């Protein structure tokens, strides 16, 4: 693929200056092969894909067609949303405004009697 891209860019004088993203892709492919596509930032990949799509490629130019497919696949992989993370558990803090929970505690018989008396007489009434 790197050789096919090099030959395509060699055909037209000034092609590397006019298509800098493809020139960078040519160098990266020559150095690291198609594995480099996983490390290229998404905006650059999109530019490379657009510049490849703009080239007048022959149908029989299988290496460059394969490169187009590889670049598009790399773009799609980077555009996929990350899998959703499980929400962090929220610690329960009891509140008097929390109607959905009841707090139960044990009290002595005398405390129960005093609370019952307050319920009968109303708050603020007492000895």
């Amino acid at each position: 693929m790197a050789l096919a891209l090099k030959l395509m860019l060699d055909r037209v004088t000034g092609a590397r200056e006019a298509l800098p993203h493809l020139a960078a892709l040519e160098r990266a492919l020559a150095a690291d092969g198609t594995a480099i596509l996983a490390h290229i930032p998404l905006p650059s990949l999109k530019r490379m894909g657009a510049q490849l799509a703009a080239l007048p490629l022959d149908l029989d130019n299988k290496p460059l067609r394969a490169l187009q497919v590889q670049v598009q696949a790399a773009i799609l992989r980077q555009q996929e949303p990350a899998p959703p993370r499980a929400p962090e558990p929220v610690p329960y803090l009891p509140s008097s405004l929390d109607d959905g929970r009841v707090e139960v505690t044990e009290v002595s018989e005398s405390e129960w009697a005093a609370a019952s008396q307050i319920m009968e007489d109303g708050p603020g009434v007492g000895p």
Side-chain angles (χ1 to χ4, degrees):
M1 286 184 224
L3 179 59
L5 184 56
K6 177 186 178 341
L7 292 174
M8 174 63 77
L9 293 173
D10 284 346
R11 280 190 205 167
V12 179
T13 305
R16 285 177 181 80
E17 290 77 26
L19 303 167
H21 285 79
L22 288 186
L25 180 58
E26 173 194 15
R27 291 186 302 274
L29 288 173
D32 298 314
T34 56
I36 195 65
L37 294 174
H39 305 286
I40 297 174
L42 184 58
S44 295
L45 274 175
K46 287 182 176 182
R47 288 296 305 237
M48 290 170 182
Q51 289 182 358
L52 270 173
L55 291 177
L57 299 180
D58 297 329
L59 291 176
D60 60 340
N61 195 336
K62 292 179 182 176
L64 283 182
R65 295 272 180 209
L67 180 58
Q68 281 182 317
V69 170
Q70 295 261 348
V71 169
Q72 289 303 316
I75 290 169
L76 291 174
R77 276 192 299 276
Q78 286 194 29
Q79 286 179 333
E80 288 179 356
R85 292 181 18 190
E88 296 285 327
V90 178
Y92 172 68
L93 300 173
S95 166
S96 61
L97 301 175
D98 190 355
D99 294 334
R101 298 184 186 256
V102 175
E103 184 177 332
V104 178
T105 58
E106 290 189 33
V107 294
S108 67
E109 188 176 336
S110 61
E111 289 174 309
W112 176 258
S116 296
Q117 189 64 45
I118 290 173
M119 289 300 294
E120 282 182 26
D121 297 341
V125 179

